[in-house]
């Protein structure tokens, strides 16, 4: 598909490049701005930015675009590396290459740990009614992959430019814990900020004895909450909230105390982060997600109500909230749990969200939760946000397993040695003893490992060790991995598109809620 902004020049560009035997054009990338034609071309395994003056009186903009000159006369053009500086210059000229506020509509987070999956993500999502969040990376992922927030943003910019995607994309600074994290993401121009207050959750609240619970309740930071123990208890005394389908929320005093002890500091921290963002960066477009999914037990309906109600009272508006749902949302595999229970509780969580602004419910560790997608898709109610990341990395490894089996065996064997250490920050159930020796597998047997739950989780948690280059044997692996993927670009895109179509199909055409 050729973008309308550059379609009229396609023939001329094709003639131009016909003289350059080693250059291939991504046709959807052609865009014109003030007499200058821009596009993405491929030379070998490298992607380059083509800059060609086509308007009367226009000339090569060499002050902003640095590259090698090619052609001659009226057919002289630049070939520029796709650097951060060039991405900044493209964002300056083309509004669609800058992230936007997604809002309270169906959206999908498409984390890309390697920086080359964006075009396939766009191809899979563009006709679904979901808004893509293409720049999505947590602080932990940035650290483990040795990438910067700017590099992740640039990858999203180049992806929408290459694919001619003008419908708007989000940029999510995921799992942010400090104001420094907020600064880091604002400076890289992210527009969605996922607050992670997990350090402030008091998981032991449910096990506290009466006197201990009351003392912890009294000791909450009431000044930061603009509140007092008596005022809070008065607000929730006699609460009777209708959650639909005959479900009512009627907490007793013990539930209120437990909920507030568990989440009181979470509420205070979230308010602080929201106010810091607003006061420090008043002109920056921002939408907030709150993630309370990383707790020991599922988020009860009253806990959800309490957090949402108190944040609303304090003037904190959420675009989405991620509860800890029932069952297990382990990395890289399908949901483990009672789907009927999930359905019933999801509907009640939706009802609570509707009471406080209609924010989206966010499904974290959303990769490969196909049974959950079918449940949510069947409801046709409310708005949802799904976060994925590691599953794209696994599809990259699927491509490696096909194109370079020996290298895949190296990665697999190494990941097995790293598993015990790397799994420490994850909730997973993989058993390495149930994974066959990759050295004994060939062809379809080897690629079938990417469909095995145990293998998927081992590879998922070891991504940082593989990509960071900290271990001697893995020092050059990221470069090798990227080369294999670029040499087999179409196969890689095929794997990714097919995989994400499988993710999105259960939702149907949900459109804009």
């Amino acid at each position: 598909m050729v973008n309308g902004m550059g379609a009229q020049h396609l023939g001329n560009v094709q003639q131009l490049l016909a003289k350059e035997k080693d250059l291939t054009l991504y046709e959807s990338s052609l865009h014109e701005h003030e007499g200058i034609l821009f596009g993405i071309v491929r030379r070998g395994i490298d992607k380059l930015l083509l800059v060609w003056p086509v308007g009367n009186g226009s000339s090569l903009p060499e002050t902003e675009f640095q590259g090698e000159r090619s052609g001659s006369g009226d057919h002289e053009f630049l070939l520029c590396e796709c650097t951060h500086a060039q991405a900044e210059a493209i964002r300056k000229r083309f509004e669609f290459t800058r992230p936007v506020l997604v809002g309270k509509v169906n959206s999908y987070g498409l984390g890309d740990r390697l920086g080359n999956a964006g075009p396939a993500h766009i191809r899979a999502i563009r006709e679904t009614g979901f808004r893509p969040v293409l720049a999505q990376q947590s602080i932990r992922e940035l650290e483990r992959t040795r990438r910067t927030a700017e590099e992740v943003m640039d990858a999203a910019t180049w992806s929408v430019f290459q694919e001619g995607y003008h419908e708007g994309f989000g940029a999510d600074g995921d799992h942010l814990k400090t104001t420094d994290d907020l600064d880091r993401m604002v400076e890289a121009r992210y527009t969605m900020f996922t607050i992670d207050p997990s350090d402030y959750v008091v998981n032991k609240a449910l096990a506290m004895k009466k006197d201990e619970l009351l003392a912890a309740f009294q000791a909450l930071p009431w000044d930061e909450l603009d509140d007092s123990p008596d005022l809070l208890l008065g607000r929730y005394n006699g609460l009777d909230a209708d959650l639909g389908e005959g479900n009512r929320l009627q907490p007793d005093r013990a539930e209120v105390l437990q909920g507030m002890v568990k989440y009181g500091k979470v509420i205070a921290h979230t308010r602080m982060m929201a106010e810091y963002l607003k006061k420090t960066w008043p002109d920056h477009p921002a939408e907030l997600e709150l993630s309370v999914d990383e707790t020991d037990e599922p988020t009860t309906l009253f806990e959800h109500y309490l957090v949402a109600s108190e944040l609303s009272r304090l003037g904190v508006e959420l675009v989405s909230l991620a509860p800890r749902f029932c069952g297990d949302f382990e990395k890289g595999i399908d949901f483990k749990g009672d789907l009927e229970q999930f359905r019933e509780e999801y509907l009640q969580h939706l009802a609570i969200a509707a009471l406080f602004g209609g924010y989206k419910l966010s499904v974290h560790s959303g990769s490969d939760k196909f049974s959950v997608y079918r449940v949510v898709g069947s409801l046709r109610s409310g708005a949802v946000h799904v976060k994925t990341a590691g599953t794209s990395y696994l599809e990259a490894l699927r491509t490696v397993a096909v194109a370079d089996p020996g290298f895949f065996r190296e990665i697999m064997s190494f990941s097995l040695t790293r598993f015990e250490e790397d799994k420490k920050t994850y909730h997973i159930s993989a058993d390495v003893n149930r994974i066959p020796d990759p050295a004994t597998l060939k062809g379809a047997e080897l690629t079938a490992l990417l469909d095995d739950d145990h293998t998927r989780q081992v590879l998922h948690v070891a991504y940082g060790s593989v990509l960071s280059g900290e271990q001697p044997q893995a020092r050059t692996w990221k470069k090798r991995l990227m080369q294999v993927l670029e040499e087999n670009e179409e196969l890689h895109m095929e794997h990714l598109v097919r995989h994400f179509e499988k993710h999105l199909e259960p939702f149907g055409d949900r459109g804009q809620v």
Side-chain angles (χ1 to χ4, degrees):
M1 182 178 67
V2 184
N3 186 273
M5 297 171 67
Q8 60 182 313
H9 298 289
L10 177 60
N12 292 334
V13 173
Q14 288 174 331
Q15 290 180 15
L16 179 75
L17 296 183
K19 302 174 184 178
E20 309 287 334
K21 303 297 185 182
D22 58 345
L23 296 177
T24 304
L25 174 70
Y26 292 87
E27 293 183 359
S28 296
S29 70
L30 282 183
H31 294 85
E32 184 183 355
H33 181 269
E34 296 182 351
I36 308 294
L37 194 66
F38 298 87
I40 304 294
V41 297
R42 185 180 181 89
R43 182 165 64 189
I45 65 171
D46 297 320
K47 291 182 180 181
L48 301 168
L49 177 65
L50 168 74
V51 184
W52 182 25
V54 293
N56 292 332
S58 58
S59 58
L60 289 172
E62 292 183 279
T63 56
E64 286 186 275
F65 293 95
Q66 305 293 320
E68 63 179 84
R69 283 176 174 260
S70 293
S72 60
D74 292 340
H75 295 90
E76 189 174 34
F77 59 93
L78 288 176
L79 290 175
C80 310
E81 294 183 10
C82 294
T83 63
H84 174 64
Q86 311 296 253
E88 286 278 80
I90 287 294
R91 283 191 285 265
K92 178 180 176 181
R93 286 164 171 77
F94 298 101
E95 184 177 5
F96 75 92
T97 65
R98 305 192 292 267
V100 299
L101 298 177
V102 171
K104 298 174 183 178
V105 300
N106 293 305
S107 52
Y108 229 87
L110 299 156
D112 179 10
R113 291 172 177 169
L114 296 174
N116 61 0
H121 290 157
I122 292 168
R123 294 175 200 179
I125 203 172
R126 72 185 312 160
E127 302 297 332
T128 66
F130 276 82
R131 296 291 292 275
V133 177
L134 296 174
Q136 174 201 283
Q137 212 91 119
S138 68
I139 298 298
R140 178 172 66 185
E141 286 174 315
L142 291 175
E143 292 172 347
R144 293 189 176 185
T145 58
R146 297 295 187 267
R147 296 177 78 199
T148 67
E150 288 79 8
E151 287 173 329
V152 176
M153 181 66 75
D154 292 347
T157 288
W158 292 122
S159 295
V160 296
F161 194 76
Q162 176 184 310
E163 294 300 303
Y165 184 77
H166 290 214
E167 284 75 13
F169 69 96
D172 179 11
D174 195 20
H175 284 286
L176 310 180
K177 294 189 174 189
T178 69
T179 56
D180 286 344
D181 292 341
L182 289 174
D183 291 339
R184 183 176 179 180
M185 292 303 177
V186 171
E187 288 165 358
R189 301 183 184 175
Y190 284 63
T191 51
M192 178 177 171
F193 302 86
T194 297
I195 309 303
D196 176 3
S198 55
D199 293 343
Y200 298 90
V201 177
V202 180
N203 284 297
K204 65 179 183 179
L206 296 179
M208 287 182 178
K209 295 180 179 179
K210 184 177 180 180
D211 290 346
E212 183 185 8
L213 181 66
L214 188 58
F217 177 72
Q218 295 287 345
L220 288 171
W222 295 105
D223 287 345
E224 297 173 30
L225 296 166
D226 287 348
D227 207 3
S228 72
D230 289 341
L231 286 174
L232 183 129
L233 290 172
R235 280 199 301 280
Y236 294 99
N237 182 38
L239 173 67
D240 183 5
D242 183 2
L243 302 184
E245 297 190 1
N247 298 301
R248 309 196 73 84
L249 198 58
Q250 298 170 314
D252 58 26
R253 189 172 185 271
E255 283 182 273
V256 175
L257 291 174
Q258 289 171 341
M260 200 60 194
V261 169
K262 183 176 180 180
Y263 286 110
K265 293 179 182 178
V266 165
I267 296 165
H269 178 71
T270 303
R271 181 202 187 183
M272 181 277 293
M273 294 280 277
E275 291 189 346
Y276 175 86
L277 187 59
K278 187 179 296 185
K279 291 177 181 178
T280 308
W281 305 96
D283 299 323
H284 187 81
E287 51 193 2
L288 293 181
E289 173 172 293
L290 176 61
S291 168
V292 293
D293 65 302
E294 295 192 0
T295 57
D296 293 345
E297 299 294 332
T299 307
T300 69
L301 296 170
F302 175 67
E303 289 169 351
H304 180 178
Y305 183 99
L306 176 67
V307 170
S309 177
E310 290 305 296
L311 288 176
S312 178
R313 177 181 66 83
L314 293 167
V316 177
E317 181 179 1
L318 299 177
V319 73
S320 50
L321 184 144
R324 162 78 154 84
F325 292 110
C326 65
D328 289 324
F329 283 73
E330 296 185 19
K331 300 293 185 180
I333 64 174
D334 206 346
F335 172 77
K336 293 181 178 180
D338 185 332
L339 284 170
E340 184 56 33
Q341 179 188 359
F342 173 82
R343 179 189 180 279
E344 293 176 2
E345 293 184 1
Y346 187 89
L347 281 169
Q348 293 176 77
H349 282 300
L350 274 181
I352 294 169
L355 292 173
F356 300 103
Y359 49 79
K360 295 177 282 193
L361 292 186
S362 188
V363 181
H364 284 203
S365 297
S367 296
D368 309 289
K369 304 301 182 290
F370 302 109
S371 59
V372 165
Y373 306 156
R374 289 190 288 272
V375 170
V376 175
S378 71
L379 296 176
R380 311 293 294 182
S381 177
V384 66
H385 181 63
V386 180
K387 290 202 183 187
T388 70
T391 197
S392 293
Y393 170 69
L394 294 179
E395 289 307 299
L397 294 184
R398 187 185 301 276
T399 303
V400 175
V402 173
D404 191 343
F407 185 30
F408 175 76
R409 291 189 187 93
E410 289 184 68
I411 293 173
M412 184 71 236
S413 298
F414 173 72
S415 297
L416 285 166
T417 68
R418 294 293 308 168
F419 179 66
E420 289 302 319
E421 178 64 26
D422 290 347
K423 75 175 184 179
K424 291 179 180 178
T425 54
Y426 291 98
H427 170 59
I428 55 174
S429 59
D431 181 355
V432 296
N433 295 314
R434 299 181 64 176
I435 300 173
D437 181 356
T440 66
L441 305 177
K442 297 180 180 180
E445 291 180 328
L446 193 65
T447 56
L449 284 177
L450 275 302
D451 299 314
D452 172 72
D453 285 355
H454 303 281
T455 303
R456 291 179 67 81
Q457 292 197 324
V458 167
L459 292 170
H460 186 290
V461 303
Y463 76 92
S465 294
V466 171
L467 299 177
S468 68
E470 287 187 347
Q471 303 300 316
Q473 62 266 55
R475 195 153 290 156
T476 63
W477 278 6
K478 183 174 182 179
K479 183 177 180 180
R480 285 177 65 188
L481 178 58
M482 297 301 290
Q483 181 169 340
V484 172
L485 296 176
E486 291 305 322
E487 289 173 348
N488 298 274
E489 181 185 34
E490 287 305 314
L491 179 63
H492 183 210
M493 293 300 102
E494 178 186 328
H495 286 155
L496 282 165
V497 171
R498 182 171 62 240
H499 191 57
F500 277 95
E501 286 178 343
K502 183 180 177 183
H503 275 68
L504 290 154
E505 187 275 333
F507 294 100
D509 181 11
R510 291 188 45 107
Q512 302 291 310
V513 175

